[in-house]
Amino acid sequence: MLESLVESWQINHRVTLRLLNALSEDALHATLSTRGGRDVARQLAHIHEIRLTFAEITSKANRLAKLPHFAKGETPSKKRLESALDISAQAIEKTIHESWANGGKTPGFKRGLMPLIGYLIAHESHHRGSILLTLKQTGHQLSDELKWGLWDWAHI
C-alpha cells in the first residue's frame, strides 16, 4: 500500500512536469488576469509553495531542511520551476514515509496521510486544468498528445 501511495504521488508529479516541459517561455507568462493575477509560471510556483507548506507542517525533517521558496509574486523561469517542483515532490515523499511510519498520522493535517495526498493531487489537477484553459484562451497551442497524455496515468 505504501508503494502504491508513493507511486501515485510520483505519477502526479510527472504529470505536472510533463505539462511544464511542454511549455515555451512565452507560454509561462500567459495569463487571463487583467488585475495582476497569476500567470502560468506563478500557478506552477503556487503548486510548489503549497507542497512545501504541507511538507513543512507535516514533517520535522522537512522543517529543518530549509526548502527553497519563491518570493510572493515572483515569476520563476522554467528551469527554476522544474528544480523547485522536484524538490517539493521529494519533500512530500518524505512526509509520506514519515507519516506512514507514524500510522498515517500527519501533524498539521488532522485527517491523516491519505486525505492529505488526495488533497494535494486534487489541488494540482485543478491548477493544471486552469493552466490548460489559460493557454487555450490566450492562443497557445498544445498537442492533443499532451492534453490527453496528462490523463494517461497508466503510461506516464
Side-chain angles (χ1 to χ4, degrees):
M1 182 73 88
L2 172 61
E3 294 82 18
S4 292
L5 183 60
V6 170
E7 181 182 20
S8 295
W9 174 248
Q10 290 172 343
I11 292 168
N12 174 72
H13 173 59
R14 288 194 303 267
V15 168
T16 298
L17 288 183
R18 185 172 185 183
L19 175 59
L20 171 63
N21 289 323
L23 302 179
S24 67
E25 286 293 334
D26 186 47
L28 286 172
H29 299 289
T31 183
L32 296 174
S33 175
T34 58
R35 301 183 311 156
R38 294 181 186 125
D39 61 13
V40 169
R42 286 170 57 198
Q43 286 192 63
L44 290 163
H46 169 73
I47 287 171
H48 167 72
E49 290 298 324
I50 293 300
R51 287 177 177 184
L52 289 189
T53 296
F54 283 104
E56 290 171 345
I57 65 173
T58 59
S59 163
K60 183 177 181 181
N62 284 327
R63 278 191 299 280
L64 299 173
K66 302 208 188 277
L67 298 167
H69 288 270
F70 292 117
K72 185 174 174 67
E74 179 180 355
T75 300
S77 69
K78 188 178 196 176
K79 183 177 179 178
R80 287 191 60 223
L81 282 166
E82 184 173 10
S83 174
L85 288 165
D86 281 340
I87 289 167
S88 59
Q90 290 169 12
I92 293 298
E93 278 191 49
K94 190 172 289 186
T95 289
I96 291 169
H97 287 286
E98 285 181 22
S99 178
W100 192 267
N102 193 29
K105 294 185 175 110
T106 52
F109 197 86
K110 67 181 176 181
R111 295 194 180 267
L113 177 61
M114 297 294 195
L116 171 62
I117 300 307
Y119 167 82
L120 289 169
I121 291 172
H123 176 257
E124 294 187 24
S125 299
H126 159 75
H127 282 286
R128 288 191 301 259
S130 179
I131 288 166
L132 290 174
L133 180 61
T134 296
L135 294 169
K136 179 180 180 178
Q137 291 186 342
T138 57
H140 290 85
Q141 297 291 320
L142 297 175
S143 70
D144 285 341
E145 179 184 348
L146 173 71
K147 290 183 283 189
W148 292 110
L150 295 177
W151 293 103
D152 187 8
W153 280 40
H155 298 100
I156 198 160

